[in-house]
Amino acid sequence: MNREVVYPGTFDPVTNGHLDIIKRALQMFDQITVAVVDKPGKNLLFTTRERIEMLQATAGKLSNVKIERFEGLLVDYLQKRNIFVILRGLRAVSDFEYEFQIALMNRKLYSNIESVFLMPSQEYTYLSSSLIKEVVRLGGKVEGLVPGVVEEALNKKFALTK
Ligand code: ADP
């Protein structure tokens, strides 16, 4: 059996926390598709293309990881591709309520779907893309928390917007 999973998110931008989840999932699944939500103009720092490029330069280098863009309902995307498992990361109790709601809604929309939650290494449990953006915007260093290409892209983005 080929075990495939979709890891959906905005990845604005990808952090070492996301990569940690992907690496853990590779021990359990044969193929991971990172599905990047295409939300043009929705308060995101990076364009869909930039978010995908950063993922390709990092997660995309791992074997059995594919990066794709998607829009619309996640369950429709899964159904089209004949995949039944959604991967999400759980950092703290605060993630739980939201994730629980989404998982049950997805199951209601498509009863075959299962959601799988993985916890990152402890050092990434406080890490979020929004916190990273805030720290870089204010001039802080995020070395070790995001891949080098992401750090560069963030510095460039904020230098341009200053
Ligand atoms: P979304 O906008 O869908 O929440 P994100 O890109 O912020 O997308 O996150 C995608 C998934 O990765 C979510 O399940 C989120 O909880 C998880 N995630 C984000 N940051 C981390 C982290 N530091 N450690 C583990 N999981 C994380």
Side-chain angles (χ1 to χ4, degrees):
M1 199 168 107
N2 197 28
R3 290 161 308 173
E4 286 193 53
V5 69
V6 167
Y7 183 31
T10 40
F11 304 98
D12 186 46
V14 59
T15 69
N16 287 350
H18 294 126
L19 296 175
D20 181 281
I21 295 292
I22 293 170
K23 285 177 194 155
R24 283 171 200 280
L26 278 173
Q27 323 257 350
M28 305 164 64
F29 295 94
D30 301 307
Q31 176 78 50
I32 301 177
T33 303
V34 181
V36 183
V37 190
D38 193 4
K39 281 191 204 159
K42 203 186 167 259
N43 232 4
L44 298 176
L45 179 65
F46 293 101
T47 63
T48 305
R49 193 180 165 164
E50 288 169 328
R51 287 180 283 135
I52 289 179
E53 277 170 4
M54 286 184 277
L55 275 160
Q56 258 153 2
T58 54
K61 296 266 188 283
L62 302 167
S63 36
N64 305 324
V65 178
K66 272 193 298 197
I67 320 294
E68 282 188 4
R69 155 196 170 278
F70 93 96
E71 58 189 335
L73 271 183
L74 178 62
V75 290
D76 290 343
Y77 171 81
L78 283 147
Q79 211 159 8
K80 254 185 251 151
R81 307 193 62 240
N82 243 342
I83 300 179
F84 306 96
V85 190
I86 298 171
L87 169 69
R88 296 285 287 175
L90 269 189
R91 285 160 290 188
V93 184
S94 51
D95 275 344
F96 178 78
E97 211 171 335
Y98 174 73
E99 295 293 343
F100 184 68
Q101 229 182 347
I102 300 287
L104 291 183
M105 179 54 85
N106 282 333
R107 187 185 276 166
K108 166 98 184 118
L109 294 168
Y110 181 20
S111 58
N112 291 345
I113 289 285
E114 292 299 342
S115 298
V116 166
F117 300 93
L118 292 181
M119 276 169 277
S121 168
Q122 207 174 337
E123 66 214 273
Y124 303 130
T125 49
Y126 64 94
L127 195 59
S128 70
S129 299
S130 17
L131 187 58
I132 289 289
K133 285 181 279 189
E134 190 60 5
V135 170
V136 177
R137 190 176 69 81
L138 298 171
K141 291 245 175 306
V142 289
E143 205 187 321
L145 301 177
V146 294
V149 281
V150 172
E151 202 180 344
E152 273 170 40
L154 281 163
N155 287 333
K156 228 187 251 174
K157 200 55 111 175
F158 286 113
L160 287 177
T161 54
K162 254 178 210 163

